[in-house]
Amino acid sequence: MSDDLEILLTNDDGIDSTGIRALYDALSEHANVTVVAPAGDRSACGRSISHEVEVDDHELGYAVHGTPADCVVAGLAELGPFPDLVVAGCNKGANLGEYVLGRSGTISAAVEAAFFDVPAIATSLYVPVDDTPFEDVEVTAEDYAEATRVTTYLADRALEAGVFEHAAYLNVNVPLPDGEPAPLEITRPSKRYEMDAERDGAHVTLHDRVWDEMTPDALPDPPGTDRRAVVEGNVSVSPLTAPHSTNHHEALDALADDYDGFRLE
């Protein structure tokens, strides 16, 4: 990795999280890293954007009182040198499956970069949990060792390899380290979606059932998907595009042709 490489580093867990510090320490050994990250936890905020945000100086760079998308726009357009690469993460908790792509602040930062025509890597750590509430699960800097390894590798190699001539960003999900380097698997986002809701008086509780089956024997996701890769102990790298592609087809053309004669009764 060249010392001349400019990286904008952001996340959605907040600038004081362990994951962004781990990536900063690893990447800044070989590149010029500018951190522009939310001042606090803005997980699962998607691509929410603000018209105006406060910015504080921080030992790592800039703490923005806004969303990850705010951070990317502010960082690219104003706060930092224009980068060769945007890195988002490392997120505590995996970002797996098609249905999370629009929800995750980590991934949304990468998508925002894509609209600036800047390649991006979004890195998340898969943390298996039992009955412990996820917010109470402790993740140490050492737990991000595999995540920093693969992110540094991709930051070093992917640009020159031409990866971003075909992908706008990489969604990277990493298992916890187990002593040996994890294999890297190129994947596609899982299509599983198992949300439901339950009403109790004036309240409705939403349940994400996808995470109920996360063992290799029980996992219904097929080979080649991001979820199966990380559960089997591999690093999942999904090459994705943004903005969304258009699926033009004759059925919609026919509706458009008939619209001129349509009248409400």
Side-chain angles (χ1 to χ4, degrees):
M1 190 183 301
S2 170
D3 291 339
D4 296 330
L5 183 68
E6 290 283 352
I7 295 176
L8 175 70
L9 178 61
T10 190
N11 72 348
D12 73 356
D13 287 344
I15 197 168
D16 293 316
S17 69
T18 305
I20 197 170
R21 169 68 77 168
L23 276 185
Y24 175 81
D25 289 345
L27 293 171
S28 61
E29 289 188 11
H30 309 285
N32 181 31
V33 180
T34 301
V35 175
V36 184
D41 189 346
R42 298 303 299 266
S43 297
C45 67
R47 285 185 62 226
S48 296
I49 201 81
S50 308
H51 294 293
E52 183 175 329
V53 291
E54 293 185 13
V55 179
D56 298 328
D57 289 336
H58 188 279
E59 63 172 323
L60 295 184
Y62 301 96
V64 175
H65 294 265
T67 68
D70 293 333
C71 294
V72 172
V73 175
L76 294 180
E78 177 65 24
L79 295 177
F82 200 80
D84 303 295
L85 180 71
V86 168
V87 175
C90 182
N91 190 63
K92 174 192 170 187
N95 280 302
L96 299 166
E98 288 185 348
Y99 79 113
V100 305
L101 297 179
R103 294 180 184 172
S104 164
T106 303
I107 294 175
S108 293
V111 172
E112 202 69 39
F115 281 96
F116 279 87
D117 291 324
V118 178
I121 299 170
T123 305
S124 303
L125 180 68
Y126 170 55
V127 183
V129 294
D130 43 31
D131 294 330
T132 305
F134 187 74
E135 59 271 16
D136 295 335
V137 176
E138 294 292 333
V139 180
T140 68
E142 290 73 22
D143 291 325
Y144 288 98
E146 189 70 58
T148 58
R149 174 175 174 264
V150 68
T151 306
T152 302
Y153 173 80
L154 291 171
D156 182 32
R157 303 286 185 88
L159 288 169
E160 290 188 3
V163 168
F164 295 108
E165 295 174 11
H166 307 281
Y169 68 101
L170 304 178
N171 182 28
V172 181
N173 284 275
V174 188
L176 290 166
D178 66 357
E180 293 294 329
L184 191 154
E185 182 179 347
I186 306 304
T187 60
R188 63 186 184 277
S190 172
K191 293 183 179 295
R192 285 185 65 201
Y193 182 79
E194 297 181 21
M195 296 289 301
D196 63 27
E198 182 179 3
R199 180 174 181 175
D200 182 8
H203 300 276
V204 174
T205 302
L206 310 182
H207 303 286
D208 185 351
R209 304 295 187 189
V210 166
W211 300 96
D212 292 346
E213 298 174 314
M214 289 298 288
T215 62
D217 293 336
L219 192 74
D221 303 74
T225 58
D226 51 5
R227 289 172 57 82
R228 176 159 292 279
V230 294
V231 167
E232 292 181 345
N234 298 335
V235 174
S236 166
V237 178
S238 294
L240 302 174
T241 60
H244 304 298
S245 60
T246 301
N247 186 11
H248 199 127
H249 50 84
E250 293 179 358
L252 195 55
D253 288 339
L255 287 180
D257 292 340
D258 291 342
Y259 181 68
D260 285 344
F262 177 72
R263 298 291 183 269
L264 291 174
E265 297 296 334

